[in-house]
Amino acid sequence: MNVIVIDVGTSSMRGILYDAHAAELKKIQISYSPFYIDQICVEQNASDWTSALIRICSGLAQAAKEENRKIDVLSLTSQRSSVLPLSKDMEPLSPAIMWQDKRTMSLCHDLKKSDPVIIQKAGSRINPVYSGSKMAWIRRNQPELFEHAAKLAVIPDYLVWFMTGTLVTDHTYGSRSLLMNLGTREWDEELLRLFELPRSMLCDLISPGTVAGHISGPFSRLTGLLEGTPLISAGGDQQCSALGQGVIHHGDAQITTGTGAYIISGCDELPVVKGSEVIVGASAIPGKYVLESSILACCSAFNWFHNAFYPDSDRGFDSINREILNSPPAAGGIIALSYFQGQGTPDWNSMATASLLGLTLSSSRGDMARAILEGICYEIKVNMECMARYLPAPSSIVLSGGLTKCPSLAPSLAGILGTPVTQYSNPESTALGAWMSAAVATGLHPGWEEAFRAARAADAVTQTLPENRDNYKKGYSLYQESYSRLYPYT
């Protein structure tokens, strides 16, 4: 069996052709970027995704043809809560409002009184990241656009339609909307009334890991893919990343460090969560759940510091990584609050901004860079402590994502959490999770454990043990104190 996995990220789209043993035969990656209109608004044109999708699928179809391979199935995973208004002919009516856009803050404030029912049914307090608040913002602030829209879709919904002519969304995306009842896994009438959104504007819900549609004639002619090839909706990118890192059983945990960072733990049953300190969502494994925490700025924070303070570096990240290694653990007393996009869980403080505290004349840019890195780790620790109220403590935490290229990340995180950190040599955890979804859906493997063992069979595994714990305990205490002083009412 040969599988094409499409992974739709914030800064690029990747397509990977895998064989039946999860061996990577060909990869095509196309970069793009949203446009940051100001400190609040972030948008992107739908043509960025359709153009990249056509180029990727055409290239992989040609690669398969050259090796005399038949593509048996495609598997799609994607960013989860960017919103795209579509006409009755499924044409985009405006740029997408991206997941990190914060224009809905006023609307979220107005609906905050409804948090108890939203948390109980949808698994999260109202927040600017989820798609439902963006849809309600369009209704309130762009009434003409709302009137002309036939559907309000998230990016994977639109791409499924573009490839197959079928308009559906799976439970993982529904669970990032504030509109889906996690218990019934259906759009909830009470939540729809709260947001003043008609059910008719939403896509029909399906389980992740099931066939969303089949490659249409028009898309076949655009790309060379065989018409009728099934397309699996594997689930949201973070759920697939968790799957590709082995989050299968209750209490398994992993951290993905991308544009933002995401902590996901497996949960067999729908938990009763008090307050909004963790997010409950649908797992990529049908019928199961995940507990999730969101750090809104991770690689984006590190990249900002690198670009601002290492402008003459022509060797990538070598200079900043070397200087971080030369800076002592706990960064010489510097504390960074890396809230470049506000704070996600547990407080959902969209007004929080980034700060560097404790600077002296002896502070170096390497110390500040280490402080940024450790600030991200401290924020992860805050969220792990919240998860520990609902799940058993993991014996190890699996780490992946772009920031793992910084050699100081794993030791810093292990020391701050006091837990061993495990890393797999193949960084494509999201794509491997989508491959696993296709492998189980097609019957190639009978279950998720077997699919995971096959996906990771060729991997080298590295484990980093906790060190410098006393230094990091002091640093964490300073971090908490700094946050509480700056934001005493959150």
Side-chain angles (χ1 to χ4, degrees):
M1 182 181 78
N2 300 297
V3 182
I4 287 180
V5 168
I6 304 295
D7 178 6
V8 185
T10 301
S11 57
S12 71
M13 182 185 295
R14 290 194 298 272
I16 303 178
L17 175 61
Y18 287 110
D19 69 10
H21 306 288
E24 183 180 306
L25 304 176
K26 175 77 173 179
K27 176 163 67 176
I28 300 174
Q29 182 168 355
I30 296 175
S31 296
Y32 44 62
S33 62
F35 33 97
Y36 291 80
I37 299 169
D38 51 35
Q39 293 182 346
I40 301 296
C41 298
V42 187
E43 297 182 348
Q44 190 162 353
N45 289 322
S47 58
D48 287 353
W49 298 301
T50 52
S51 174
L53 183 65
I54 292 169
R55 289 172 60 190
I56 286 169
C57 288
S58 299
L60 295 180
Q62 181 62 32
K65 182 179 180 180
E66 289 172 358
E67 295 192 14
N68 198 29
R69 291 178 179 271
K70 176 179 178 289
I71 295 170
D72 299 285
V73 63
L74 289 87
S75 189
L76 175 69
T77 180
S78 174
Q79 54 168 292
R80 300 173 292 177
S81 57
S82 303
V83 172
L84 184 65
L86 299 173
S87 72
K88 63 180 180 180
D89 297 321
M90 297 300 109
E91 292 295 327
L93 295 173
S94 72
I97 300 176
M98 297 299 289
W99 64 266
Q100 64 269 58
D101 185 289
K102 297 189 290 186
R103 71 185 70 183
T104 66
M105 287 187 293
S106 176
L107 182 145
C108 291
H109 181 267
D110 292 346
L111 292 177
K112 190 172 178 59
K113 62 183 181 296
S114 299
D115 264 348
V117 68
I118 295 172
I119 292 168
Q120 177 194 359
K121 291 191 168 190
S124 172
R125 68 194 283 183
I126 189 164
N127 64 82
V129 175
Y130 277 41
S131 59
S133 58
K134 302 180 196 301
M135 295 175 184
W137 185 92
I138 294 172
R139 176 194 56 75
R140 177 185 289 188
N141 294 277
Q142 297 179 319
E144 290 187 8
L145 176 61
F146 187 80
E147 182 179 348
H148 284 93
K151 294 289 182 182
L152 295 173
V154 293
I155 305 311
D157 306 348
Y158 177 59
L159 295 182
V160 167
W161 176 85
F162 189 75
M163 298 169 78
T164 70
T166 303
L167 197 62
V168 294
T169 195
D170 78 42
H171 296 150
T172 63
Y173 304 113
S175 70
R176 295 289 288 190
S177 69
L178 302 175
L179 304 173
M180 189 186 85
N181 186 309
L182 284 169
T184 64
R185 297 179 183 251
E186 297 289 345
W187 300 123
D188 187 272
E189 291 299 328
E190 184 177 10
L191 296 175
L192 290 172
R193 285 194 299 270
L194 280 175
F195 287 87
E196 300 181 68
L197 293 168
R199 164 66 181 84
S200 61
M201 296 188 78
L202 303 177
C203 302
D204 290 338
L205 287 158
I206 62 173
S207 291
T210 57
V211 175
H214 296 81
I215 296 301
S216 66
F219 194 70
S220 172
R221 289 187 287 275
L222 282 171
T223 62
L225 291 172
L226 183 64
E227 184 176 355
T229 304
L231 171 67
I232 304 292
S233 183
D237 54 1
Q238 299 309 318
Q239 284 94 330
C240 280
S241 175
L243 198 56
Q245 298 279 36
V247 177
I248 296 171
H249 302 295
H250 189 75
D252 291 342
Q254 71 97 36
I255 299 166
T256 300
T257 58
T259 303
Y262 297 91
I263 309 166
I264 294 187
S265 296
C267 198
D268 287 345
E269 297 181 354
L270 182 61
V272 178
V273 174
K274 298 178 181 179
S276 57
E277 59 190 6
V278 296
I279 300 165
V280 185
S283 171
I285 299 177
K288 291 193 175 187
Y289 297 89
V290 292
L291 292 188
E292 184 172 347
S293 296
S294 295
I295 290 92
L296 301 183
C298 182
C299 285
S300 55
F302 194 78
N303 290 343
W304 168 84
F305 189 87
H306 175 266
N307 294 338
F309 288 86
Y310 294 79
D312 299 325
S313 176
D314 58 358
R315 297 182 62 188
F317 289 82
D318 290 350
S319 294
I320 189 172
N321 288 336
R322 183 172 59 253
E323 291 184 17
I324 290 173
L325 287 169
N326 290 333
S327 176
I334 301 174
I335 295 295
L337 303 179
S338 299
Y339 304 135
F340 290 85
Q341 292 285 339
Q343 191 210 37
T345 52
D347 293 334
W348 289 109
N349 183 359
S350 58
M351 300 305 295
T353 57
S355 304
L356 275 168
L357 308 171
L359 293 172
T360 70
L361 291 175
S362 65
S363 300
S364 68
R365 68 177 183 177
D367 294 331
M368 290 186 282
R370 177 175 275 277
I372 293 282
L373 186 73
E374 291 174 347
I376 294 167
C377 296
Y378 289 138
E379 193 175 357
I380 289 171
K381 181 175 176 65
V382 169
N383 284 282
M384 290 298 300
E385 289 178 344
C386 292
M387 281 195 177
R389 300 185 181 110
Y390 304 97
L391 295 169
S395 58
S396 177
I397 294 171
V398 182
L399 179 66
S400 69
L403 199 56
T404 58
K405 295 176 184 176
C406 175
S408 297
L409 176 62
S412 298
L413 186 62
I416 287 168
L417 296 181
T419 303
V421 169
T422 299
Q423 294 173 267
Y424 293 101
S425 58
N426 186 341
E428 295 287 358
S429 58
T430 302
L432 286 173
W435 178 89
M436 288 169 60
S437 186
V440 173
T442 58
L444 178 65
H445 290 289
W448 299 100
E449 287 188 17
E450 293 85 353
F452 176 72
R453 285 196 294 269
R456 292 294 186 181
D459 271 48
V461 181
T462 302
Q463 190 168 71
T464 304
L465 300 177
E467 294 181 354
N468 301 304
R469 294 194 62 187
D470 289 341
N471 288 336
Y472 286 129
K473 283 180 181 178
K474 183 178 179 180
Y476 184 54
S477 178
L478 289 172
Y479 174 89
Q480 292 176 301
E481 180 182 350
S482 300
Y483 180 78
S484 63
R485 286 185 175 183
L486 284 171
Y487 306 103
Y489 302 113
T490 56

